[in-house]
Structure formats: structure tokens, C-alpha cells
């Protein structure tokens, strides 16, 4: 699996590194340093130690090869989600991904979090928010209608960081 997929998966766990880092190249070491910094920054959210705590959420995916899960702060001010494709997508145009647990009355900035590189996609043009590097949408839209997604290749994951404005 690509380094980015492994990092996206490990971010939600205990985040141990089982790798002989002495054998890693400079590019991989830089990616690991970025991943460690992101993990340290997100650790209070990921493991429920933000003020008030946080909770794990799972989304219903329209595609059986897709997995959507995340962690949302109990005050719903912040969240991080993973949208992963474990196999080939059933459709050439992926349906929007609904992100559960957000405050429907809040507006969120949605930003992709690239750890270990950008995920591989199979499409001519990404959704506008993704091409722009961020987007702002109400929690009601993200939770009920969903966020348009790039068509991820198999064994790829897109991390999303959300912040209430």
C-alpha cells in the first residue's frame, strides 16, 4: 500500500511506527515527520482529550468499497474524517460523501490533509473545493447531502480536517 494510505489508516490508531527508519529515504523521512506533527496536533481530538471529549463516527457509504469514519469533538467545533477506497469504485462519478456528527447550524471549513502524498485519483477534474484546496459548507449540507469527492483509486484514502467557523 502507498505510504499515504498507511498513514491515513494509522492516524486514527495508536500511531506507532514499525519501520526501520535507518533504511528510509529522505522523502519518506520527511513524510513521516509531517505525519508525526499532524498526529501530535490532532491527538487531543483523535483520542478524546479535547475539552468535553470527542466521539468516533462512521458514515454510510453508497459504494461497498468505500469506508467513511472520523472523530468529531463533542462540541462539534472540529472533526477529522477518512474517506477510503478499499477496492475499485462501482461508478465513474462517486456520490457525495455524508459526514455524520457535525452541527447542522454551523458552517465548516473543509480542508484535505495530505500525509505521505496526495491520494491517487481516477478522473479528469476534481470537485471544485478539492481543486481549490478547501471549501466552506454548512454542517447540514455535509451531513445530509454530502461532500463531492474525487474518484479515489483503490487502496487510497483522503483525510479531511473540518473546523467550525
Amino acid at each position: 500500500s502507498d505510504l499515504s494510505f498507511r498513514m491515513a489508516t494509522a492516524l486514527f490508531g495508536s500511531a506507532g511506527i514499525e519501520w526501520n527508519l535507518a533504511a528510509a529515504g529522505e522523502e519518506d523521512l520527511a513524510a513521516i515527520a509531517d505525519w508525526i506533527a499532524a498526529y501530535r496536533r490532532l491527538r487531543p481530538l483523535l483520542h478524546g482529550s479535547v475539552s468535553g471529549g470527542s466521539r468516533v463516527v462512521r458514515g454510510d457509504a453508497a459504494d461497498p468499497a468505500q469506508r467513511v469514519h472520523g472523530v468529531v469533538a463533542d462540541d462539534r467545533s472540529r472533526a477529522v474524517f477518512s474517506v477510503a477506497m478499499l477496492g475499485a469504485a462501482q461508478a465513474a462519478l462517486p456520490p457525495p460523501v455524508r459526514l455524520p456528527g457535525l452541527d447542522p447550524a454551523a458552517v465548516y471549513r473543509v480542508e484535505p490533509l495530505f500525509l505521505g502524498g496526495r491520494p491517487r485519483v481516477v478522473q479528469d477534474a476534481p470537485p471544485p473545493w478539492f481543486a481549490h484546496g478547501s471549501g466552506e459548507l454548512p454542517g447540514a449540507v455535509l451531513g445530509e447531502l454530502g461532500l463531492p469527492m474525487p474518484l479515489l483509486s483503490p487502496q487510497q484514502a483522503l483525510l479531511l480536517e473540518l473546523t467550525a467557523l
Side-chain angles (χ1 to χ4, degrees):
S1 297
D2 288 348
L3 183 58
S4 64
F5 184 75
R6 296 190 321 246
M7 287 181 168
T9 301
L11 185 69
F12 292 88
S14 63
I17 298 173
E18 297 181 18
W19 186 355
N20 178 2
L21 295 178
E26 290 300 316
E27 189 174 313
D28 287 340
L29 288 173
I32 291 167
D34 289 345
W35 177 77
I36 290 170
Y39 179 77
R40 285 181 175 163
R41 181 175 59 81
L42 295 170
R43 183 172 34 206
L45 174 64
L46 291 168
H47 298 297
S49 59
V50 294
S51 62
S54 59
R55 60 191 167 101
V56 173
V57 295
R58 304 213 183 277
D60 294 326
D63 191 315
Q66 188 179 68
R67 299 294 182 273
V68 179
H69 67 92
V71 177
V72 179
D74 280 345
D75 67 2
R76 300 188 291 185
S77 63
R78 297 175 53 212
V80 63
F81 283 88
S82 170
V83 179
M85 289 302 295
L86 304 182
Q90 288 185 337
L93 295 173
V97 170
R98 291 182 288 170
L99 303 175
L102 302 173
D103 181 352
V107 173
Y108 289 89
R109 177 176 294 115
V110 181
E111 299 174 285
L113 179 59
F114 301 122
L115 300 175
R118 295 173 72 95
R120 283 181 284 122
V121 297
V122 184
Q123 64 187 35
D124 291 331
W129 75 268
F130 188 75
H132 182 265
S134 68
E136 295 177 4
L137 288 166
V141 170
L142 294 167
E144 295 298 321
L145 299 176
L147 181 67
M149 283 288 126
L151 181 58
L152 297 173
S153 297
Q155 295 293 302
Q156 297 295 303
L158 175 59
L159 293 171
L160 303 171
E161 189 169 357
L162 285 79
T163 308
L165 300 176

